[in-house]
Amino acid sequence: MSSISISSKGNMMSSSSAPAGLGLSSGRLFTVGLVSSWYLSNIGVLLLNKYLLSNYGFKYPIFLTMCHMSACSLFSYVAIAWLRVVPMQAVRSRLQLLKISALGLVFCASVVSGNVSLRYLPVSFNQAVGATTPFFTAVFAYLITVRREAWITYLTLVPVVTGVVIASGGEPSFHLFGFIMCIGATAARALKSVLQGILLSSEGEKLNSMNLLLYMAPIAVVLLLPATLYMEENVVGTTIALARKDTKIVWYLLFNSSLAYFVNLTNFLVTKHTSALTLQVLGNAKGAVAVVVSILIFKNPVSVTGMLGYTLTVIGVILYGESKKRNK
């Protein structure tokens, strides 16, 4: 009897531990799948933007951004209102809507400037400049909120900036206007993150990133429509004429716009299932992967000096993240 009892207990233990192991394994696979999807969508939209705006010759960065925002508007509504990926958060007041609109304007400036820069700069250099986001975040945080960081945190920003200066000097495809646009995109991205923390800081106004995108994306479309019609003359007619000659442009735009939304969705899900710090570490690695992939695909010339500068910037960003974590 006792042997049967022991045997049954052993079986029960092994049967209960198996699902737990399977659950842990499936959880890890899910996280790996999420991170892989985030990497693929981020790098994919970046490379496709570069291909359309530079190699393919579709020279309409504002219109391309408007396509992205239109897709984000549609897919955000489907994901939140129909699929209930996250609970819908309502806009509570006109003042909150005004704040969201201000963020939408800065967001537009960031995406448009980034797309414009891709017309003139290789992805590798674009990513090197984009890695200086922590520098601009620290500057805007100090100027707007007068919030000071520890001196060691500011010290880590020295290699961040120095690396970009070195990379700029060693970049064979350097273009001044493209560089200015890329700096503008990076600064606008940092400004949005600082303003978001200030404008939507009260408990009644906090929105998760998916709900914020739901409200910002349509506002961005409204802002971008007159801009593209005025600044990119006959863009609709040219796009239609191009589509008649080559239908692939339609599929490029549809896929590219869908990827733009998927970047935001996977960014939210990776943060939710890991942590903001993990996302930061993965983001640093993503930039390096994007640089390597873009060089392999577009075969743009790179110099040893440029790669050393980019490496120094990434090291500075990692040190900045560590410093912020320790001084919390």
Side-chain angles (χ1 to χ4, degrees), residues 34 37-39 41-42 209-210 261-275 279 286:
L34 271 182
S37 300
W38 182 63
Y39 263 57
S41 58
N42 264 276
S209 60
M210 298 309 296
Y261 171 73
F262 203 61
V263 167
N264 289 280
L265 177 63
T266 53
N267 187 84
F268 172 78
L269 292 174
V270 169
T271 307
K272 181 181 177 182
H273 290 278
T274 56
S275 67
L279 189 75
K286 174 186 68 67

Side-chain angles (χ1 to χ4, degrees), residues 190-261:
L191 179 60
K192 176 190 165 288
S193 67
V194 173
L195 289 178
Q196 187 174 330
I198 299 167
L199 297 179
L200 302 177
S201 58
S202 65
E203 285 301 320
E205 291 186 331
K206 282 184 179 177
L207 295 172
N208 62 48
S209 60
M210 298 309 296
N211 274 274
L212 183 59
L213 183 65
L214 172 67
Y215 296 116
M216 275 201 319
I219 292 169
V221 173
V222 172
L223 293 170
L224 290 168
L225 181 58
T228 191
L229 291 175
Y230 177 73
M231 298 175 69
E232 297 177 335
E233 191 176 351
N234 198 29
V235 60
V236 177
T238 304
T239 305
I240 292 171
L242 188 59
R244 285 173 179 167
K245 291 179 183 178
D246 183 11
T247 54
K248 285 190 292 185
I249 185 63
V250 177
W251 297 109
Y252 284 147
L253 290 174
L254 287 174
F255 182 62
N256 184 247
S257 301
S258 300
L259 268 184
Y261 171 73

Side-chain angles (χ1 to χ4, degrees), residues 265-322:
L265 177 63
T266 53
N267 187 84
F268 172 78
L269 292 174
V270 169
T271 307
K272 181 181 177 182
H273 290 278
T274 56
S275 67
L277 182 62
T278 302
L279 189 75
Q280 185 181 17
V281 173
L282 291 170
N284 294 333
K286 174 186 68 67
V289 173
V291 167
V292 174
V293 173
S294 70
I295 292 170
L296 291 174
I297 292 175
F298 297 112
K299 298 183 174 20
N300 56 281
V302 291
S303 66
V304 175
T305 304
M307 293 309 295
L308 284 174
Y310 178 66
T311 303
L312 183 60
T313 295
V314 171
I315 291 171
V317 170
I318 294 170
L319 293 174
Y320 174 82
E322 284 296 313

Side-chain angles (χ1 to χ4, degrees), residues 16-328:
S16 63
S17 62
L22 285 172
L24 186 63
S25 178
S26 62
R28 285 175 180 169
L29 283 173
F30 178 72
T31 303
V32 169
L34 271 182
V35 172
S36 300
S37 300
W38 182 63
Y39 263 57
L40 288 171
S41 58
N42 264 276
I43 296 172
V45 77
L46 182 67
L47 297 179
L48 194 48
N49 282 350
K50 174 63 179 176
Y51 174 74
L52 285 170
L53 294 167
S54 184
N55 296 61
Y56 189 84
F58 187 78
K59 300 177 181 179
Y60 303 108
I62 303 176
F63 179 75
L64 183 63
T65 306
M66 193 179 73
C67 291
H68 290 178
M69 293 301 102
S70 299
C72 287
S73 301
L74 175 63
F75 290 135
S76 292
Y77 185 78
V78 170
I80 296 174
W82 292 0
L83 301 180
R84 303 188 185 280
V85 174
V86 293
M88 182 174 282
Q89 297 172 285
V91 175
R92 294 171 180 257
S93 65
R94 288 184 180 179
L95 179 60
Q96 188 184 15
L97 182 61
L98 187 63
K99 292 175 180 180
I100 294 170
S101 300
L103 289 173
L105 179 62
V106 178
F107 183 57
C108 280
S110 170
V111 180
V112 170
S113 299
N115 285 340
V116 170
S117 73
L118 284 172
R119 277 190 61 188
Y120 304 97
L121 298 177
V123 173
S124 53
F125 187 56
N126 180 282
Q127 289 293 287
V129 177
T132 60
T133 301
F135 169 76
F136 290 101
T137 303
V139 170
F140 285 128
Y142 178 74
L143 292 176
I144 297 172
T145 67
V146 199
R147 188 184 70 197
R148 293 186 179 182
E149 302 286 354
W151 68 269
I152 191 69
T153 302
Y154 289 119
L155 190 62
T156 61
L157 294 174
V158 174
V160 172
V161 177
T162 305
V164 170
V165 172
I166 293 172
S168 301
E171 175 54 49
S173 306
F174 182 83
H175 189 284
L176 182 59
F177 180 70
F179 176 71
I180 292 170
M181 287 292 101
C182 198
I183 287 287
T186 307
R189 197 180 309 126
L191 179 60
K192 176 190 165 288
S193 67
V194 173
L195 289 178
Q196 187 174 330
I198 299 167
L199 297 179
L200 302 177
S201 58
S202 65
E203 285 301 320
E205 291 186 331
K206 282 184 179 177
L207 295 172
N208 62 48
S209 60
M210 298 309 296
N211 274 274
L212 183 59
L213 183 65
L214 172 67
Y215 296 116
M216 275 201 319
I219 292 169
V221 173
V222 172
L223 293 170
L224 290 168
L225 181 58
T228 191
L229 291 175
Y230 177 73
M231 298 175 69
E232 297 177 335
E233 191 176 351
N234 198 29
V235 60
V236 177
T238 304
T239 305
I240 292 171
L242 188 59
R244 285 173 179 167
K245 291 179 183 178
D246 183 11
T247 54
K248 285 190 292 185
I249 185 63
V250 177
W251 297 109
Y252 284 147
L253 290 174
L254 287 174
F255 182 62
N256 184 247
S257 301
S258 300
L259 268 184
Y261 171 73
F262 203 61
V263 167
N264 289 280
L265 177 63
T266 53
N267 187 84
F268 172 78
L269 292 174
V270 169
T271 307
K272 181 181 177 182
H273 290 278
T274 56
S275 67
L277 182 62
T278 302
L279 189 75
Q280 185 181 17
V281 173
L282 291 170
N284 294 333
K286 174 186 68 67
V289 173
V291 167
V292 174
V293 173
S294 70
I295 292 170
L296 291 174
I297 292 175
F298 297 112
K299 298 183 174 20
N300 56 281
V302 291
S303 66
V304 175
T305 304
M307 293 309 295
L308 284 174
Y310 178 66
T311 303
L312 183 60
T313 295
V314 171
I315 291 171
V317 170
I318 294 170
L319 293 174
Y320 174 82
E322 284 296 313
S323 175
K324 290 275 288 183
K325 184 175 69 173
R326 291 183 180 183
N327 286 291
K328 276 186 178 180

Side-chain angles (χ1 to χ4, degrees), residues 2 5 53:
S2 61
S5 174
L53 294 167

